[in-house]
Amino acid sequence: MGMATTASVTAPKLSSTTLQNLYRNLPVSVPLPKTLSSFSRNLPPSVSRLHHHCLQRRRLFSVRAESDNGAETLRNYDFDLFTIGAGSGGVRASRFAANFGASVAVCELPFSTISSETTGGIGGTCVLRGCVPKKLMVYASKYSHEFDESNGFGWKYDTEPKHDWSTLIANKNAELQRLTGIYKNILNNAGVTLIEGRGKIVDPHTVDVDGKLYTARHILLSVGGRPFIPEIPGSEYAIDSDAALDLPAKPEKLAIIGGGYIALEFAGIFNGLKSEVHVFIRQKKVLRGFDEEIRDFVGEQMSLRGIEFHTEELPQAIAKSADGSLSLKTNKGTFEDFSHIMFATGRRPNTKNLGLESVGVKMNKNGAVEVDEYSCTTVPSIWAVGDVTDRINLTPVALMEGGALAKTLFQNEPTKPDYRAVPSAVFSQPPIGQIGLTEEQAIKEYGDIDVYTANFRPLKATLSGLPDRVFMKLIVCAKTNKVLGLHMCGEDSPETVQGFAVAVKAGLTKADFDATVGIHPTSAEEFVTMRTPTRKIRQSPESEGKTGLEAKAAAGV
């Protein structure tokens, strides 16, 4: 919705909508009849003082400003909302805000498959250099395993199937171009103004985009993050996840440094495409923070597929030989003849050179923007969603945060993002799906829990002859019977867990699971047919002295 001017005009016939718009433009709060609007609703008492300040600023499309002679004048803005960054969260917030009647602009850097200080693209990390291209690469890499599986089902090949890397990359990039075009159309159709260039905040209501100034009642930061490569000797020879998705040729021998989900996903991709893959991790196991049994299981399964893990190894230096090959020196020795060395050691919020410090936006030591529970920064007119806030760095979470923010700002409906029971997946091979608490978290939070597990050979593997297995786990509160956590590693885990996530989010009990009829034959039915706990863990005072065997089982004795 555009800004009204303060010029005197002949009074029009006022409709309810017109009255509401006029009300929004007044420099003071004027009560409206309840039949006209919900604007008279009071804010909930739980809202923090900072957020109350944010909302007070939100309620006025125009604010008071001191003129040179001391008289108060109305300040008009170019836009109600100016969004810096057209990734998942920024696009969602901008589109919803525009649909709610706000005038909205979004600035974004020119498109490129690899991000930099000068390149980005509408769609952001997920669409252009994250979830989508990664999943396409996973699809490409899975065929080699499926060719191996097919032999047991009677398929024979006169020649070994060959993969053409250039075809994959060309088709992947064509799809990215199509998707960024779709995102542009989504914003255009919503009436959002698209501005190409790098945005920098000048003051709490002004953004500079390559030398041109734009004013806005609210500014939204949704600039995401970028891969981080530690500074060690020779780090300039390494690649990150951006570059790994757009290499001119497939790696012959690849070292991946890191043990998180990005490292495992790329290890699976390049192993499936028949590269020799080595993964170097600082700890004894991959996926720190995940359920311990899932960590063990996925590491074993990936090793069986030919990926070599080097545990408790710290990278110290990279060297390039005359023939172009790379060597990696760690605390345990030197490994040679790599065609590529990739760092998957995390991502950092993309907050440099945005002008945040000068306007008073507070950031933590990692550069993430600090926000309250409504995504408001320490500057009441500046907001932030997505990975730049380093809360839960997942695309669907950024979408949730963006939608909640639009409601808070332009629907008079203060909305907190709900971070309870957020499901997630790792598209490793085999993949992982999870929701809720790990066993370790559940013990710490609830004390007494029942753990149900299943580790089995799936039907497909009975004919393929491959060593593929599936691991599934339910964590249940012993007192309430509520399912606290659900974890799976095996084929189709992400698809399976998305469905069960509804049940866990709804707070269903183990009895509800047991009362559900399974779909046969599937791996998923195992979640509704687990009848006997693998172990019972009791830590509450009333349970002490009664479950010695169960305590030993929990400790792995």
Side-chain angles (χ1 to χ4, degrees):
M1 182 170 62
M3 295 306 306
T5 65
T6 59
S8 176
V9 294
T10 302
K13 186 175 182 180
L14 298 180
S15 64
S16 294
T17 302
T18 307
L19 280 172
Q20 291 170 6
N21 292 341
L22 177 60
Y23 167 85
R24 289 167 175 159
N25 282 276
L26 288 174
V28 294
S29 180
V30 178
L32 283 176
K34 292 182 179 180
T35 56
L36 292 179
S37 174
S38 62
F39 288 114
S40 60
R41 285 182 291 178
N42 294 323
L43 291 174
S46 60
V47 176
S48 67
R49 181 175 300 175
L50 170 61
H51 178 64
H52 180 72
H53 188 191
C54 294
L55 290 184
Q56 288 299 99
R57 296 294 293 273
R58 175 182 67 79
R59 293 181 67 176
L60 303 178
F61 272 52
S62 304
V63 298
R64 298 177 185 268
E66 287 291 322
S67 64
D68 292 340
N69 62 8
E72 287 186 338
T73 60
L74 287 176
R75 179 176 179 183
N76 294 317
Y77 298 110
D78 298 323
F79 299 98
D80 301 324
L81 176 68
F82 195 104
T83 301
I84 303 176
S88 299
V91 169
R92 174 61 60 89
S94 299
R95 180 167 66 90
F96 277 26
N99 289 339
F100 294 152
S103 62
V104 183
V106 178
C107 74
E108 178 57 75
L109 293 167
F111 169 82
S112 175
T113 53
I114 298 177
S115 64
S116 70
E117 290 294 315
T118 58
T119 57
I122 294 175
T125 297
C126 176
V127 174
L128 303 179
R129 57 195 71 89
C131 327
V132 173
K134 179 248 335 248
K135 188 73 177 290
L136 293 174
M137 302 282 271
V138 168
Y139 285 137
S141 63
K142 285 176 64 176
Y143 283 103
S144 62
H145 191 70
E146 290 166 358
F147 291 147
D148 291 340
E149 288 178 319
S150 70
N151 292 329
F153 291 87
W155 289 94
K156 303 297 179 185
Y157 305 94
D158 295 330
T159 59
E160 188 72 17
K162 294 182 179 180
H163 182 263
D164 183 70
W165 176 265
S166 61
T167 298
L168 170 62
I169 297 302
N171 290 342
K172 182 264 296 182
N173 287 343
E175 175 61 8
L176 301 189
Q177 289 280 8
R178 187 186 75 87
L179 290 174
T180 195
I182 288 175
Y183 271 73
K184 285 181 182 178
N185 289 336
I186 288 173
L187 291 172
N188 283 325
N189 292 339
V192 175
T193 300
L194 300 180
I195 303 169
E196 187 170 276
R198 181 177 179 81
K200 183 176 182 179
I201 298 177
V202 177
D203 66 40
H205 294 281
T206 307
V207 177
D208 180 330
V209 182
D210 296 339
K212 186 170 181 180
L213 300 181
Y214 301 89
T215 60
R217 188 165 59 97
H218 299 288
I219 296 171
L220 171 61
L221 294 166
S222 54
V223 294
R226 289 176 60 190
F228 169 72
I229 295 181
E231 292 186 6
I232 62 172
S235 60
E236 66 270 18
Y237 300 124
I239 62 173
D240 58 23
S241 58
D242 279 13
L245 288 168
D246 206 41
L247 292 171
K250 185 193 75 174
E252 293 301 318
K253 182 179 179 181
L254 172 68
I256 299 177
I257 301 170
Y261 75 93
I262 294 176
L264 294 200
E265 289 174 342
F266 278 92
I269 287 169
F270 288 112
N271 176 67
L273 293 172
K274 300 301 184 181
S275 299
E276 181 181 338
V277 178
H278 297 252
V279 179
F280 295 81
I281 61 176
R282 290 183 300 171
Q283 298 186 326
K284 292 182 179 181
K285 294 191 282 189
V286 298
L287 294 178
R288 179 168 58 93
F290 282 67
D291 187 89
E292 290 296 321
E293 287 185 293
I294 290 288
R295 297 176 74 186
D296 292 332
F297 185 84
V298 73
E300 293 168 2
Q301 286 291 301
M302 294 182 74
S303 294
L304 287 173
R305 296 195 184 194
I307 296 170
E308 186 169 345
F309 288 94
H310 304 261
T311 59
E312 299 181 284
E313 301 235 18
L314 301 175
Q316 297 179 342
I318 298 171
K320 190 172 186 177
S321 303
D323 63 359
S325 65
L326 303 173
S327 62
L328 174 65
K329 180 183 178 182
T330 74
N331 56 311
K332 290 187 177 181
T334 300
F335 303 83
E336 300 179 334
D337 299 324
F338 292 109
S339 62
H340 296 78
I341 296 178
M342 173 186 169
F343 274 93
T345 46
R347 297 172 63 86
R348 296 283 174 86
N350 197 20
T351 49
K352 290 183 178 179
N353 303 317
L354 284 177
L356 302 185
E357 300 91 344
S358 63
V359 297
V361 173
K362 189 176 180 180
M363 294 174 283
N364 67 20
K365 62 182 180 179
N366 293 324
V369 175
E370 294 188 3
V371 294
D372 68 7
E373 55 193 348
Y374 293 89
S375 299
C376 187
T377 73
T378 49
V379 177
S381 58
I382 301 177
W383 310 73
V385 300
D387 289 7
V388 73
T389 64
D390 199 22
R391 287 177 280 186
I392 298 179
N393 297 336
L394 296 170
T395 293
V397 172
L399 295 175
M400 173 180 66
E401 292 169 353
L405 178 66
K407 289 182 180 179
T408 296
L409 293 182
F410 302 109
Q411 282 288 88
N412 198 39
E413 186 180 333
T415 303
K416 301 177 188 178
D418 183 0
Y419 300 105
R420 295 174 299 115
V422 173
S424 64
V426 180
F427 291 96
S428 49
Q429 297 179 48
I432 297 166
Q434 63 172 13
I435 181 171
L437 302 180
T438 66
E439 180 176 339
E440 298 71 36
Q441 291 169 336
I443 292 172
K444 184 177 180 180
E445 187 169 341
Y446 290 88
D448 295 355
I449 62 170
D450 296 334
V451 179
Y452 299 77
T453 63
N455 186 330
F456 58 93
R457 190 182 191 189
L459 181 62
K460 194 175 186 181
T462 61
L463 291 193
S464 73
L466 300 181
D468 296 351
R469 298 190 68 82
V470 175
F471 178 77
M472 303 170 72
K473 183 172 186 176
L474 284 177
I475 301 160
V476 180
C477 177
K479 294 183 178 68
T480 66
N481 200 232
K482 180 180 177 180
V483 177
L484 305 174
L486 182 148
H487 306 263
M488 179 177 178
C489 183
E491 187 174 5
D492 296 328
S493 292
E495 302 287 349
T496 299
V497 171
Q498 177 65 86
F500 278 101
V502 178
V504 176
K505 177 74 171 181
L508 298 190
T509 65
K510 181 64 169 60
D512 294 319
F513 276 58
D514 293 343
T516 303
V517 176
I519 299 173
H520 185 74
T522 64
S523 294
E525 68 181 307
E526 195 70 23
F527 277 130
V528 298
T529 57
M530 295 178 176
R531 295 291 184 258
T532 305
T534 304
R535 55 188 170 274
K536 296 181 179 181
I537 299 168
R538 300 292 183 264
Q539 293 192 343
S540 61
E542 60 269 23
S543 300
E544 288 182 2
K546 299 180 181 179
T547 55
L549 292 176
E550 292 160 359
K552 289 182 179 181
V557 177

